[in-house]
Amino acid sequence: MTDNMELWKKSHWLSKSKKSYAQHFFRDEWQAIVENGGDVPWHELFRTSMEDTKASGKLGMEAFEHFAGRIHEKENPRTKLLERAEHEIKKYLLDGTYRGYGFDRPRNLETEPVLIPAECWKGVVSWADNEVSYQSLKFREVRVRMMRENRDPILKKPFEAPVRKVGRPTVGPAIEEAFHALLKIKEIDPAASQMSHYPKVKKWLEIHHADLNVPPASISDKTIQKYFSLLFNTLRKKSKTINPLGI
C-alpha cells in the first residue's frame, strides 16, 4: 500500500517548488542571480535600492525612476527564471512525470493526503496558497513530488511484514486492508452505494482476519463507515474526474 502521507511530507510545498526547481536545474543562472543580489527578501531589496538611489544624488522623478530601475534590474531575472521553472513543473505534473499530493477535504487527525489526478493541473493553480482547483475538486496544502515514480525511493521501499502487537489486531487497519484487497479484485464499485459494500468487507474479514478483537460479523456499519468512507469517497471522486458523464 502506497504511503501517501510519507510521500506528502517528503515533497516540496507547491509555493516553494519553483525556487527549488530553479536552484537545481537552472543552477548557473540562479547562482548568477544570487551573486547579483536578486535572491534577497523584498524588504532588503527595497532598502538597498533606496540607499543606491540616495547615493546617486538624483531627486524627484529622476530619483523614482532610478529606484524603480534598480528594483527591476534585481527582480526581473529572478521572476523570469521562476516563470520558466513554473512552466516546467506544470508540464511534468500534467504528463505524470511529477506527482502532486494534497487534501481534498478539511484536515483532521485521520485525514490522509491523496494523489492529485494529472488532469487537475489544467485547472486553477494557486502557487502561493498551495491550492489546486479543477471543476468541482479542490486540493489544499498541496506538495509536489519532483521525481519520476520509478526513481522514487519511498515507492521502492520493500514491503515489510508489520510487527504484531500484543493482543488481537484492531479493526481499523483491517477494514482499510479489506478495501484495497476488494478494489484489487474489482469488488468495489464507486457507482454503487457505500453501504452495499459492507457485507463484502465483513466476509473478507471473516476469511482473512478471524483474529480481530471484534468478530467480523459483529462489526457495526458505523465502525466500517469510519474507516471505509474516506477511501471510498476518494475513489468515487477520481472515478467522476476520469469519467464525468458516467459512461
Side-chain angles (χ1 to χ4, degrees):
M1 178 180 175
T2 303
D3 189 343
N4 283 354
M5 180 59 79
E6 184 179 4
L7 287 165
W8 177 81
K9 286 180 178 179
K10 294 186 177 180
S11 297
H12 293 84
W13 282 107
L14 180 62
S15 58
K16 298 179 179 179
S17 61
K18 292 185 287 186
K19 182 175 179 179
S20 296
Y21 186 97
Q23 289 174 324
H24 185 76
F25 293 102
F26 304 145
R27 188 174 302 166
D28 293 342
E29 293 170 84
W30 185 264
Q31 187 58 38
I33 289 171
V34 172
E35 291 173 358
N36 192 41
D39 185 36
V40 296
W42 173 255
H43 65 84
E44 181 67 17
L45 180 60
F46 185 93
R47 184 186 64 78
T48 56
S49 297
M50 183 64 76
E51 289 175 352
D52 184 69
T53 300
K54 286 181 180 179
S56 72
K58 292 180 171 56
L59 300 171
M61 183 57 69
E62 282 191 341
F64 175 78
E65 290 176 351
H66 181 84
F67 172 74
R70 293 296 292 162
I71 291 286
H72 181 76
E73 179 186 333
K74 298 287 186 180
E75 185 70 11
N76 192 50
R78 181 179 187 274
T79 300
K80 288 186 175 298
L81 195 62
L82 291 178
E83 286 175 353
R84 284 170 55 197
E86 177 182 314
H87 174 78
E88 292 298 305
I89 292 169
K90 194 169 183 179
K91 178 182 72 175
Y92 289 137
L93 285 164
L94 283 167
D95 69 16
T97 301
Y98 290 172
R99 289 152 288 137
Y101 295 89
F103 295 87
D104 60 352
R105 66 193 64 217
R107 286 188 68 181
N108 57 44
L109 292 175
E110 296 182 350
T111 309
E112 291 281 326
V114 298
L115 173 65
I116 299 173
E119 62 267 26
C120 290
W121 294 96
K122 296 176 183 177
V124 178
V125 181
S126 177
W127 297 80
D129 296 328
N130 301 304
E131 293 183 350
V132 176
S133 300
Y134 180 71
Q135 297 180 359
S136 62
L137 299 174
K138 184 169 184 177
F139 302 91
R140 302 172 178 83
E141 299 186 51
V142 174
R143 299 191 186 201
V144 180
R145 190 70 174 159
M146 294 197 292
M147 64 176 64
R148 295 179 183 276
E149 196 168 4
N150 63 354
R151 296 180 181 176
D152 196 321
I154 294 178
L155 298 178
K156 287 184 176 182
K157 286 169 62 175
F159 290 102
E160 299 175 357
V163 178
R164 292 183 64 86
K165 298 179 180 179
V166 177
R168 295 184 175 186
T170 55
V171 299
I175 291 171
E176 293 174 351
E177 185 183 347
F179 175 89
H180 291 289
L182 292 169
L183 178 63
K184 189 174 182 178
I185 60 174
K186 303 186 185 302
E187 286 294 326
I188 300 291
D189 180 5
S193 71
Q194 180 174 299
M195 290 188 66
S196 67
H197 295 85
Y198 293 175
K200 296 180 182 179
V201 171
K202 291 183 179 181
K203 184 176 180 180
W204 191 92
L205 292 174
E206 287 175 354
I207 297 172
H208 299 279
H209 276 289
D211 59 341
L212 287 172
N213 58 358
V214 177
S218 301
I219 299 174
S220 68
D221 289 350
K222 185 176 181 180
T223 298
I224 296 177
Q225 187 272 338
K226 179 180 179 181
Y227 299 99
F228 190 90
S229 179
L230 176 60
L231 297 169
F232 184 77
N233 288 334
T234 300
L235 176 66
R236 176 173 279 177
K237 283 186 178 181
K238 288 182 179 179
S239 176
K240 288 182 178 179
T241 301
I242 295 171
N243 186 14
L245 298 179
I247 57 176

